[in-house]
Amino acid sequence: MALIINTADPSSWPTYPEAQHHIYNGLDSPLTLEIMGVLRQSLGHNSPFRWAYDFERRMQGPALTIMRRGIKVDMAARDFAVQKLKGRVIRLEYVLNRLAFVWWGNNLNPRSSHQLCLFFYDHLGLPEQFRRTKGKRSRSCDRDALETLRDYIHVRPICNAILSIREISKEIETLERGVDSDSRFRFSLNIAATETGRTSSSKNWKGTGGNIQNWKDDIRDIFVPDAGYKLGYFDYKQGESYIVAYEAEEERLIAALASGDLHTYCARLIWPHLPWSGDIKKDKTIALKAYYRHFSYRDISKRGGHSRNYMAKPWTLSHTLKISLYLATEFCEHYDKAFPGIPLWQQSTISELQRSKDDFGCHFLTTALGFRRHFFGRIWDEATWREAIAFRPQSTLGQMCQEGIYRLWKAELSGAPWQILANMHDAALLQFPVGHDDETVSAVSTLMTQPLQIKNRTMTIPVEASLGFNWRSYKKGGLLEEHSGPGSTAHQSRPTFVPVLDRPIF
Amino acid sequence: MKVSPTGPLHCLMALIGEAPGAEEEQIGVPFVGASGQELTRMLSEAGIERKHCYLTNLFDTRPATLRAEAEGPFFDSLGNPNSLDHLSANKKECLSYAPDYQLPPLSSGKYLHPRYVIPALGRLQREVSGVQTNLLVALGGTALWALTGHAQITKFRGYTTTSTLLPVRKVLPTFHPAAILRSWEDRVVMVMDLLKGKRESAFPEIRRPERRIWLLPTIPDLIDFERHIQRGWDEGCLLSFDIENPRGFIDCISLAPRTDLSLVVPFYDPRREGKSYWTEEEERFVVRWLKRILETPKPKVGQNGLFDIQVLLSEWGIRVRGYQEDTMIAHHALYPELQKSLGFMGSVWTDEIAWKQLNPRRGRMKMEKRDE
C-alpha cells in the first residue's frame, strides 16, 4: 500500500533516505499542471503570444530528430584537430611563460586563478577585478576580468595568451569528451532558450556534445556526412542586413543587397571620393584595397556596417575592429551619411519601445512574424536600446530559419531524401544522398525561402548553398564548396593580399 | 548616527532591509536614498502605499560606523562603508568571541561577527515583535538570513516561509531595492513579489495548497492510480509527468492527473539489495505500465518535456505521445526575458513552498549505479 502524504502538512512527511527527493519529484508534476493552467489563461487563441507558443511547440519535432541523430565525426580528423590544438596551447604557454618570466621571474599557470590574481593584482599592482558568487565577493581572473585588464597595454599579450589558452582548452575538451561512442556529436538543441527566440545548443542529457554554433571554421572538417551522403549547408545570405534594410526602409541598402555584392556597394556609398567605375566587379578591386593595416575598405564596410546597424558607437567599433578611434569616428560619419534611414530607424525603434506598454505597464517590441519580447531593462539605457534595435533582425531571421528547418523536417518525414543535422541562427546543415546535388539545392532552397511582409513590402532573403564532404569551408582548406549549379546564388569572393604598409597615412 | 524605524506599528507589512546607507544615516530614516525611492515606486506599482508599511533594517547603523564605534580611534575603514565586510569574520573568530555562536554563515565561510550581529538580532526581534502585521518582507539576503537562517535570496525569493527569529511570523523574501538598481531586469520580479506580498498580507498564516502524493507504491497501487489518470483524461485534463535522473539513470518518475494529486514511481532505493526499488519482474511490469500510459495519445504536459521525452526514449524506448503543452515553452512565449525554471515559475504563479530546495543534492548526486 502506497504511503500517501499531504504536502500542506510537513509533519506527515516520511524520513526514509530518498523521501525528500521523492516529495520533490512528486511536487514537480502537479505544479507543472498548476502553472500550465495559469499560463494558458494568457495563451488564448486571440492572444498576441499564441503564435510564438504554437511556433515553438511545433519546433520540438525537428529538435528531437536533430538531437537524436547527431553529426558524424571523422575520428582521425578529430584526433588530428586535438593534436593541432594541443600544439597551439603548448606554443601559447611557451610565449606566456617567457612573458611572465620577464615580469616576475616565474612561470604562470593560466588555469590557476589564485596564481593569476597574485600575478596581476599583487605583483603588477593592477586594479583588482571582483566577482560575486553565492553572495561572496572575491578577486577574479575570469574572462570578464581579463578583458578589462587587457586595456592595460603592457599586460595585453599576457591576457590574450591566457584567454586563447582557455578557449582552446575548452575546444579540446569538447573534442575529446563531446563525441559519443558511435562517433557522433549529439547536442541539445534548446528551443525556448534565448530572449530573441533563436535556438541555442549545449551539452546533451548524457553530458556529451556541446555548442554546435560556435565551432571555428578550421575545426569544422571533423564533421562529415554518413556513408553515401554529402553535406549541405544552407544559409540566409546577409539575412540580418535584409531585415534591417526593410525595417529601416533604407532604399540604398536595399539596392546594395540587390547588387550581388553588398559590401563593395556599401564601400562605394561610404567612401564616394574613391575612383569607383560604376561596374560592381571592377569596383571590388578598389574595395579590396587597404584601408587600415590588414583591413580593406570592403572588410570595414562589412564588419563596421553590421555593428553600426545596431547602434555601435565609434569607441566600440574601434575596440572590436581594432582600428583607431579617429578612423572609427570617420567610418560612423560616412556610414550614417550613406544610409541616413538607419539612424532614423534606430531612433524610431527606441521611441516605439519607450511608448509601448502592455496591460502590466511593461515595454515590448513585436517582430514582423509576431514574436513579442518584453524589455525589462532600463528603457532610457543605451544597452537596452541596442538590444531593442538588434532584436527584430536577429529574432526574425532566427525564426525564419527555424521555420525553414520545420519545413525541411516535414518534407523529410514525407520521404525527401535529406536528413537534417543542425540548426544555426541563420543556416541549416543537412546531409543528402551523393549525386543529388542540384535537385537537393533546388528543393531545399525553395522550402527555406519565405517571403516576409515588412512595412507593407514583401521581402525575400536568398538562400546560399555550400556542399561538400566535410563542414569546413573550401576557402579555408575544407571540402564545403559554394554550389554554383541551378538554384544557387553563390558567388566567389576571395580576398587579395594587402601589404601591411600599403595604408593611408593620417 | 542610528537610523530609527519608520511606519505605523499596525501595518500592512513590515519591510526589513540590511543596513542604512549614507543618506539614511544623515536623515535618520530608513529607505530614503536612491534605493528607498525605487522601493517606494515599486510598492506603488504593486498597489501598496509606503505609509502603510513599517520599514526597518537589521542594523540600525552603517556597517563601517558600527565597526568604528566598536574599535574606536584605531579603526581603519577600507572600502565601501555600506559593505558587510566590515562586520564579517571567519567561524574561528566568531567562536573565540562567543563560544556558543551557532548562527549559520551569511555566505560560504563568511560569518557576521557576534559582537555586531547578536545585539542587532536582539534589537530587530524586540522591535518587530511589537509590530502588528501579517507579513514580514525580507529585502535581500541579509534580512532573509536574519529572519530565517537562509541567505540565498535568489533561491528563496517569492516563497512564503516561517521566521525562525520571530516564530510563527510569515516571511516573504524578495530582492533588496539596492540590488534592483544594479540589476534592473529583476525589478519586474520584485514587483511581482510585492504583489504576492499584498495578497499574503491579508491573512497571518501560511496557506499551502493541499496535495496528496503517493509515495513508495506497490503494483496494485499503480493499477489503482491509473483510474485517477483515466478520470482526469475523461474530464479533459492533462497528465503531467516528470522524470528525475541526477544519477545518470531514471531514479524516479512522477505522474499528476490533477493539481492536488500525484504519484511517484521510484526505481532506486539504497536500502534494498541491488539498490533497486522493484524486483526484476516488477520493474519490467512498471516500465510496461508507464509505456502504456505515456504512449497513449491522450493530452500530456511537462516542463522542458523534450528532455524527458528524449531520456525516456533512449533509456526505455518509450515514445511519448499526445505531448500537447510545455510550461517552459509557454513561459518563454509569454516572457522571453524572464527565467524559465519551474522553481522560478512556482515562486511567481503558485503559493507552494520553496520545494526546489527540498533536494539540496540535486545536480550534484554521484553517478551511482544500480545493479542491472
Side-chain angles (χ1 to χ4, degrees):
Chain A
M1 182 69 188
L3 177 63
I4 300 173
I5 62 153
N6 178 0
T7 56
D9 174 22
S11 62
S12 72
W13 293 8
T15 52
Y16 65 88
E18 291 290 297
Q20 290 225 333
H21 183 55
H22 290 167
I23 297 168
Y24 162 88
N25 180 229
L27 277 167
D28 266 358
S29 48
L31 275 153
T32 302
L33 207 52
E34 186 175 333
I35 292 164
M36 195 64 230
V38 177
L39 300 180
R40 267 172 135 181
Q41 292 167 14
S42 309
L43 290 166
H45 286 289
N46 296 325
S47 161
F49 307 102
R50 187 73 211 181
W51 176 86
Y53 182 48
D54 289 342
F55 178 82
E56 291 182 350
R57 268 192 320 163
R58 67 179 191 166
M59 280 307 293
Q60 291 178 109
L64 190 61
T65 305
I66 290 170
M67 288 193 286
R68 284 183 55 77
R69 182 173 285 152
I71 311 175
K72 190 166 174 59
V73 173
D74 177 347
M75 296 307 276
R78 193 276 306 256
D79 294 344
F80 182 72
V82 168
Q83 289 312 315
K84 199 165 70 176
L85 291 174
K86 281 184 176 169
R88 257 188 237 171
V89 170
I90 290 167
R91 278 201 300 281
L92 281 164
E93 280 179 344
Y94 172 74
V95 171
L96 178 67
N97 285 333
R98 289 281 300 265
L99 290 167
F101 196 83
V102 174
W103 285 106
W104 75 342
N106 270 320
N107 287 345
L108 195 58
N109 180 0
R111 292 164 198 89
S112 163
S113 185
H114 175 69
Q115 200 183 86
L116 292 178
C117 286
L118 285 178
F119 175 73
F120 285 117
Y121 307 134
D122 298 338
H123 188 77
L124 296 181
L126 292 175
E128 292 173 328
Q129 307 296 314
F130 290 94
R131 192 176 59 164
R132 194 176 279 273
T133 34
K134 292 182 182 172
K136 196 179 175 188
R137 189 167 173 261
S138 55
R139 293 200 303 184
S140 165
C141 272
D142 63 3
R143 187 177 185 89
D144 289 343
L146 289 173
E147 279 176 352
T148 309
L149 294 176
R150 208 155 53 167
D151 287 345
Y152 295 87
I153 202 151
H154 58 294
V155 292
R156 188 175 291 172
I158 297 179
C159 294
N160 285 341
I162 296 167
L163 286 169
S164 300
I165 290 169
R166 285 183 182 172
E167 202 175 305
I168 298 169
S169 303
K170 212 173 163 185
E171 280 174 11
I172 293 171
E173 196 194 325
T174 312
L175 281 171
E176 284 184 330
R177 297 187 190 169
V179 184
D180 286 343
S181 53
D182 59 351
S183 308
R184 297 192 85 83
F185 186 84
R186 289 189 182 84
F187 52 92
S188 175
L189 185 66
N190 313 309
I191 301 162
T194 64
E195 292 149 345
T196 55
R198 300 197 290 194
T199 55
S200 74
S201 54
S202 54
K203 281 185 181 176
N204 64 28
W205 69 275
K206 285 179 182 166
T208 58
N211 189 352
I212 191 74
Q213 291 161 344
N214 276 1
W215 286 101
K216 285 190 185 139
D217 207 51
D218 60 346
I219 304 175
R220 282 184 178 181
D221 58 359
I222 67 165
F223 296 109
V224 292
D226 288 302
Y229 283 87
K230 196 171 179 179
L231 288 180
Y233 185 74
F234 296 82
D235 70 324
Y236 289 100
K237 192 182 159 194
Q238 277 123 21
E240 284 186 29
S241 299
Y242 266 92
I243 297 164
V244 168
Y246 279 83
E247 284 279 358
E249 297 176 281
E250 177 46 74
E251 298 302 331
R252 296 220 265 179
L253 190 53
I254 294 172
L257 286 159
S259 72
D261 188 350
L262 169 70
H263 307 304
T264 301
Y265 196 98
C266 287
R268 261 191 342 207
L269 294 170
I270 299 166
W271 295 281
H273 60 277
L274 293 176
W276 305 108
S277 67
D279 176 1
I280 198 86
K281 281 186 183 162
K282 286 181 189 164
D283 286 349
K284 193 172 173 184
T285 323
I286 301 168
L288 285 171
K289 282 194 175 166
Y291 172 67
Y292 179 71
R293 293 192 180 159
H294 56 291
F295 285 118
S296 66
Y297 286 97
R298 200 172 177 279
D299 283 337
I300 293 282
S301 160
K302 182 180 175 182
R303 296 179 196 203
H306 184 76
S307 306
R308 189 65 183 156
N309 284 346
Y310 298 148
M311 224 176 94
K313 289 283 162 68
W315 190 89
T316 317
L317 271 184
S318 132
H319 219 68
T320 51
L321 296 181
K322 297 180 178 65
I323 59 175
S324 72
L325 187 59
Y326 171 81
L327 283 180
T329 311
E330 189 192 58
F331 171 80
C332 289
E333 282 168 10
H334 286 175
Y335 193 80
D336 291 353
K337 219 164 145 185
F339 303 109
I342 290 174
L344 289 176
W345 162 69
Q346 292 168 348
Q347 288 307 317
S348 77
T349 306
I350 296 164
S351 156
E352 187 186 336
L353 174 73
Q354 290 173 336
R355 279 186 284 111
S356 65
K357 269 194 179 182
D358 66 4
D359 299 343
F360 303 102
C362 299
H363 301 273
F364 66 92
L365 288 178
T366 309
T367 64
L369 289 170
F371 183 68
R372 182 185 280 200
R373 172 185 170 184
H374 292 98
F375 287 81
F376 295 133
R378 288 182 173 91
I379 53 157
W380 57 90
D381 190 278
E382 281 198 15
T384 311
W385 295 354
R386 274 193 287 275
E387 271 186 48
I389 289 162
F391 166 64
R392 277 188 175 132
Q394 289 180 349
S395 172
T396 310
L397 184 63
Q399 291 188 327
M400 268 180 84
C401 186
Q402 287 177 56
E403 174 65 31
I405 293 276
Y406 178 74
R407 291 179 185 184
L408 293 175
W409 177 72
K410 287 293 274 185
E412 186 189 326
L413 290 184
S414 314
W418 56 73
Q419 294 181 346
I420 316 168
L421 299 177
N423 168 211
M424 311 294 142
H425 294 319
D426 62 349
L429 179 71
L430 47 85
Q431 62 181 11
F432 58 93
V434 174
H436 292 74
D437 294 19
D438 290 346
E439 53 265 44
T440 304
V441 169
S442 171
V444 171
S445 302
T446 309
L447 284 171
M448 287 185 73
T449 306
Q450 304 151 54
L452 181 68
Q453 194 84 7
I454 294 182
K455 303 218 168 147
N456 299 323
R457 291 168 78 172
T458 306
M459 171 207 82
T460 309
I461 304 174
V463 176
E464 193 175 64
S466 305
L467 314 177
F469 289 95
N470 68 38
W471 190 14
R472 187 173 175 180
S473 165
Y474 182 75
K475 279 185 263 179
K476 308 258 170 76
L479 299 171
L480 198 70
E481 200 169 7
E482 285 168 353
H483 181 73
S484 51
S488 162
T489 54
H491 68 282
Q492 290 293 318
S493 55
R494 214 168 278 263
T496 54
F497 174 71
V498 181
V500 171
L501 290 174
D502 180 14
R503 62 178 189 259
I505 297 162
F506 296 99
Chain B
M1 179 183 172
K2 284 196 190 316
V3 176
S4 312
T6 179
L9 290 175
H10 189 90
C11 59
L12 187 71
M13 57 180 76
L15 303 168
I16 299 156
E18 183 182 288
E23 278 147 311
E24 281 85 4
E25 192 176 51
Q26 209 175 5
I27 300 169
V29 177
F31 296 105
V32 290
S35 57
Q37 288 167 21
E38 198 51 52
L39 175 67
T40 310
R41 279 191 285 272
M42 287 188 283
L43 286 169
S44 159
E45 283 175 33
I48 302 164
E49 283 193 59
R50 181 176 162 134
K51 66 180 180 189
H52 294 152
C53 301
Y54 182 86
L55 294 139
T56 188
N57 284 303
L58 167 61
F59 295 103
D60 58 1
T61 313
R62 284 176 98 188
T65 315
L66 201 61
R67 193 165 158 203
E69 280 171 5
E71 290 193 6
F74 304 107
F75 172 63
D76 179 19
S77 177
L78 290 168
N80 178 5
N82 294 339
S83 168
L84 283 188
D85 289 345
H86 288 286
L87 311 179
S88 58
N90 60 35
K91 192 164 188 184
K92 206 172 160 188
E93 285 174 77
C94 295
L95 286 173
S96 68
Y97 184 86
D100 55 346
Y101 186 85
Q102 286 179 342
L103 293 170
L106 198 56
S107 61
S108 156
K110 182 177 164 182
Y111 291 80
L112 285 179
H113 199 291
R115 179 200 285 169
Y116 311 108
V117 80
I118 289 173
L121 285 171
R123 195 209 88 251
L124 184 71
Q125 195 176 25
R126 281 192 304 279
E127 193 187 299
V128 181
S129 337
V131 179
Q132 290 179 9
T133 183
N134 287 335
L135 182 70
L136 309 178
V137 177
L139 300 172
T142 311
L144 173 65
W145 173 87
L147 292 169
T148 68
H150 302 294
Q152 289 171 294
I153 191 69
T154 47
K155 286 187 179 167
F156 287 92
R157 58 134 289 284
Y159 291 109
T160 48
T161 183
T162 315
S163 173
T164 48
L165 183 72
L166 296 141
V168 307
R169 299 296 282 271
K170 185 164 67 177
V171 178
L172 177 73
T174 188
F175 296 114
H176 192 280
I180 297 300
L181 296 180
R182 290 192 298 269
S183 175
W184 195 255
E185 290 77 14
D186 290 332
R187 190 180 185 279
V188 67
V189 180
M190 185 165 172
V191 174
M192 284 173 171
D193 290 345
L194 292 173
L195 276 165
K196 191 174 192 177
K198 194 182 170 192
R199 286 199 309 273
E200 290 284 340
S201 66
F203 46 90
E205 73 282 2
I206 295 177
R207 291 181 186 168
R208 298 282 179 233
E210 291 204 358
R211 300 183 211 275
R212 309 269 162 196
I213 304 182
W214 292 29
L215 301 171
L216 307 177
T218 57
I219 299 284
D221 290 328
L222 301 186
I223 310 291
D224 194 19
F225 196 83
E226 197 177 339
R227 286 188 299 114
H228 292 286
I229 295 174
Q230 204 57 52
R231 197 179 305 151
W233 279 333
D234 292 343
E235 288 166 7
C237 299
L238 298 157
L239 173 71
S240 172
F241 68 98
D242 181 61
I243 64 159
E244 298 297 332
N245 68 335
R247 297 179 172 91
F249 58 85
I250 301 172
D251 68 5
C252 58
I253 176 165
S254 70
L255 302 169
R258 299 200 311 256
T259 56
D260 61 349
L261 179 69
S262 75
L263 163 78
V264 177
V265 184
F267 290 92
Y268 173 80
D269 189 344
R271 297 169 299 175
R272 299 196 183 184
E273 203 180 328
K275 294 185 180 176
S276 187
Y277 179 78
W278 307 99
T279 63
E280 206 178 314
E281 198 180 332
E282 282 174 338
E283 188 163 316
R284 265 201 294 274
F285 174 85
V286 173
V287 172
R288 271 203 307 274
W289 180 79
L290 281 168
K291 192 174 165 75
R292 187 158 50 79
I293 301 276
L294 295 171
E295 291 192 347
T296 309
K298 296 282 174 108
K300 295 177 194 76
V301 61
Q303 157 75 3
N304 190 15
L306 210 50
F307 176 88
D308 295 20
I309 289 169
Q310 211 186 153
V311 177
L312 286 166
L313 183 57
S314 304
E315 294 283 289
W316 292 336
I318 296 178
R319 292 181 177 273
V320 178
R321 292 175 71 198
Y323 189 70
Q324 287 190 0
E325 312 271 4
D326 189 291
T327 42
M328 192 177 85
I329 293 179
H331 204 255
H332 180 260
L334 288 166
Y335 307 103
E337 286 242 318
L338 291 181
Q339 288 180 46
K340 296 165 286 289
S341 67
L342 198 62
F344 174 81
M345 287 189 256
S347 76
V348 174
W349 306 115
T350 74
D351 294 328
E352 196 46 79
I353 51 163
W355 87 100
K356 286 286 177 190
Q357 305 314 315
L358 283 174
N359 195 351
R361 294 177 301 154
R362 192 170 186 267
R364 282 184 283 142
M365 286 185 180
K366 282 183 191 166
M367 299 287 273
E368 293 173 50
K369 287 275 178 207
R370 284 188 315 162
D371 291 352
E372 292 300 325

